[in-house]
């Protein structure tokens, strides 16, 4: 099921954010570079997912996640260009995406029980 893969990806990105935070304690520049590439990796994985399902019907959660992906992509681009140095927004968007995945999973479990 795709929900487990989505959750797993978000968990690994979360662990990567923790690792990048630890790196930032010792070298701020290296930590920022690692954080930018971590979120770039996440954006590329999500873009690959949307390329697969582009012609098919979108669920409402997929539409919401596509909007979040667009905002996340713009923020990552601004980070790479040096116009924005805020990682809180990136982590916040990742948290919102996790909440969408978790709520979709709960809704599917409810419909399976009925």
């Amino acid at each position: 099921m795709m929900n487990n893969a989505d959750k797993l990806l978000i968990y690994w990105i979360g662990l990567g954010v923790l690792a990048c935070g630890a790196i930032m304690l010792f070298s701020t520049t290296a930590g920022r570079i690692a954080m930018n590439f971590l979120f770039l990796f996440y954006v590329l994985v999500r873009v690959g997912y949307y390329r697969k399902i582009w012609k098919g019907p979108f669920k409402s959660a997929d539409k919401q996640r596509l909007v979040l992906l667009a905002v996340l992509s713009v923020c990552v681009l601004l980070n790479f260009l040096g116009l924005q140095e805020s990682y809180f927004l990136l982590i916040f968007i990742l948290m919102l995406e996790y909440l969408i995945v978790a709520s979709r999973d709960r809704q599917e479990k409810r419909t399976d029980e009925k």
Side-chain angles (χ1 to χ4, degrees):
M1 186 192 280
M2 194 59 187
N3 290 339
N4 291 334
D6 290 342
K7 284 183 184 178
L8 187 63
L9 177 65
I10 292 173
Y11 287 147
W12 278 106
I13 295 296
L15 287 174
V17 167
L18 283 173
C20 290
I23 293 171
M24 276 189 199
L25 290 174
F26 300 107
S27 174
T28 307
T29 305
R32 287 182 178 177
I33 291 170
M35 185 83 78
N36 286 335
F37 279 109
L38 180 72
F39 279 104
L40 179 65
F41 170 74
Y42 183 74
V43 167
L44 292 176
V45 169
R46 296 302 307 154
V47 166
Y49 169 74
Y50 281 109
R51 284 185 63 206
K52 282 185 198 175
I53 67 164
W54 190 253
K55 300 266 179 171
F58 277 46
K59 297 178 184 176
S60 65
D62 285 333
K63 292 176 186 175
Q64 294 168 353
R65 292 180 75 191
L66 183 61
V67 170
L68 288 177
L69 180 66
V71 172
L72 187 69
S73 299
V74 169
C75 290
V76 168
L77 179 66
L78 290 175
N79 274 346
F80 268 107
L81 294 176
L83 300 175
Q84 174 185 351
E85 290 293 327
S86 172
Y87 295 105
F88 174 77
L89 184 61
L90 298 173
I91 295 169
F92 185 75
I93 292 170
L94 188 68
M95 180 213 47
L96 288 176
E97 191 155 349
Y98 175 76
L99 290 175
I100 291 171
V101 169
S103 69
R104 181 178 66 183
D105 194 30
R106 270 188 259 128
Q107 287 175 351
E108 287 180 1
K109 285 182 182 177
R110 285 184 193 157
T111 57
D112 290 342
E113 290 174 357
K114 290 182 181 181

